[in-house]
Amino acid sequence: MTLRSERAEQGGPAGPGAESLLDFLPVPFLEIGADDGVLAANVAAEEFFATSRQQLMHAGLKGLAPPDHPVFVLLEHLRQRGGSVTEHGVAFSSARFHHDNVSVQAADVPDHPGIILLTFHVTAAPRALDQQMAHRSAARSVSGMAAMLAHEIRNPLSGIKGAAQLLEQAVTAGDRELATLICEEVDRIDALVERMGMFGEAQLDLRPFNIHRILEHVRLLAMNGFARGLQILERYDPSLPPVWGDRDQLVQVLINLVKNAAEAMRESGREGQISLITRYRPGIRVAVPGTDEWRHLPLVVTVRDTGPGIDDTVRPHLFEPFISTKANGRGLGLALVGKIMDDHGGAIDVESRPGRTEISLYLPVAQETQAEGGQETAQP
């Protein structure tokens, strides 16, 4: 008998009301019986474990974690000594879900021997917001670098190339090769500066649009180009509201992420798949710089791949310019992703381990007034 069913039998006011209150609780909650079965679960637990309440209660805790998982050690400790314990840095993983750095809070129920109450606290959202500050700093530094290069380097290049071309015509045949070399190097530097120009400040064409049409556009480009032959799966929440952003720039972001995922799998020789996932996750918000306002980012777009994963030494610097794990990479693609997300006021979160990498974009949704104002031009 669960605690809630017992309260219902007693006729107290906390019968069905208690069940409803648990479902309003934003933290995943499980009531565990003496045999490690799941006696009760709330809606947040269903989302956390990507499993319905009925399946959770049927499978029990053993269906969610292997026998040597730290959660079972935690349960045994509490059943012997009682009290409450918190275990940090716990991972839960299966084919349906994966969570790193979970804090598990457990407490016994003195009047009900063997029953343990578990709550699960995920640190991914705070980490996404912390990383957002680093991405914002990297994006601003890249923008400043682009402006500096355009002003301090590109302008004198035309003079250098013109002088080299004049020398190329006047010098002997033996020295003409050096003049040609100068012209080629000037062209190479000019091309680099031009690539950096994409990081400059630009006016965003913000309007509401359906993010799934953007993802379908990117998927078609990938399937007929750089991801040809790879499997690309779509897992969309069809009830998502319109996103508020610049369509072309978000297309560029998603193309970069999907292309990186495809190249990572091909370079490692893995045969895997890429998943494009959308979901609505309320509660994520970031401060608007220079104001006391907060921007809500409930719309989450995730690009998941089954590649080799991202090295731990590279991950903290992933969105900084000139950082690349590719043999011939220039390290500008993900820096551009960070810059565009910063321009949109969004956030980025990265989770990676061998065989599974997820990059999630947290984006704002269009308000009703914005959607009405851009209704005619909102569709991509």
Side-chain angles (χ1 to χ4, degrees), residues 238-281:
S239 66
L240 288 186
V243 67
W244 182 247
D246 185 304
R247 177 191 182 277
D248 291 342
Q249 293 211 20
L250 290 179
V251 166
Q252 185 64 53
V253 165
L254 290 165
I255 285 177
N256 284 353
L257 295 182
V258 175
K259 186 177 181 181
N260 281 350
E263 290 176 349
M265 287 192 291
R266 286 205 166 113
E267 288 181 4
S268 66
R270 290 173 177 259
E271 291 187 3
Q273 61 190 24
I274 299 171
S275 299
L276 304 177
I277 307 164
T278 63
R279 64 187 187 275
Y280 191 86
R281 184 176 179 182

Side-chain angles (χ1 to χ4, degrees), residues 177-357:
E177 183 179 351
L178 295 177
T180 302
L181 178 62
I182 294 174
C183 292
E184 291 175 350
E185 283 301 289
V186 167
D187 289 338
R188 184 182 64 82
I189 296 172
D190 185 69
L192 174 61
V193 175
E194 184 177 358
R195 286 197 300 270
M196 290 297 299
M198 70 180 68
F199 292 96
E201 299 297 336
Q203 184 67 35
L204 294 180
D205 182 18
L206 296 174
R207 60 184 67 193
F209 58 83
N210 187 334
I211 191 64
H212 297 132
R213 296 194 179 185
I214 293 292
L215 288 166
E216 179 61 19
H217 176 73
V218 171
R219 188 186 72 85
L220 288 174
L221 288 175
M223 293 289 290
N224 291 281
F226 53 81
R228 187 187 300 272
L230 296 176
Q231 186 180 17
I232 300 182
L233 306 180
E234 299 169 290
R235 294 175 52 191
Y236 299 155
D237 179 352
S239 66
L240 288 186
V243 67
W244 182 247
D246 185 304
R247 177 191 182 277
D248 291 342
Q249 293 211 20
L250 290 179
V251 166
Q252 185 64 53
V253 165
L254 290 165
I255 285 177
N256 284 353
L257 295 182
V258 175
K259 186 177 181 181
N260 281 350
E263 290 176 349
M265 287 192 291
R266 286 205 166 113
E267 288 181 4
S268 66
R270 290 173 177 259
E271 291 187 3
Q273 61 190 24
I274 299 171
S275 299
L276 304 177
I277 307 164
T278 63
R279 64 187 187 275
Y280 191 86
R281 184 176 179 182
I284 303 299
R285 61 179 190 169
V286 295
V288 178
T291 72
D292 57 356
E293 299 178 358
W294 291 83
R295 179 181 291 112
H296 294 268
L297 306 172
L299 197 154
V300 186
V301 180
T302 299
V303 177
R304 175 192 297 165
D305 68 70
T306 56
I310 303 170
D311 190 271
D312 291 340
T313 60
V314 176
R315 197 181 311 172
H317 311 286
L318 199 59
F319 296 91
E320 296 177 10
F322 308 114
I323 301 296
S324 177
T325 58
K326 305 174 189 175
N328 299 316
R330 297 185 178 92
L332 295 179
L334 288 179
L336 180 61
V337 168
K339 195 265 181 185
I340 292 175
M341 287 300 296
D342 177 65
D343 290 341
H344 282 74
I348 310 173
D349 183 40
V350 179
E351 293 188 14
S352 183
R353 69 182 193 276
R356 186 186 180 110
T357 295

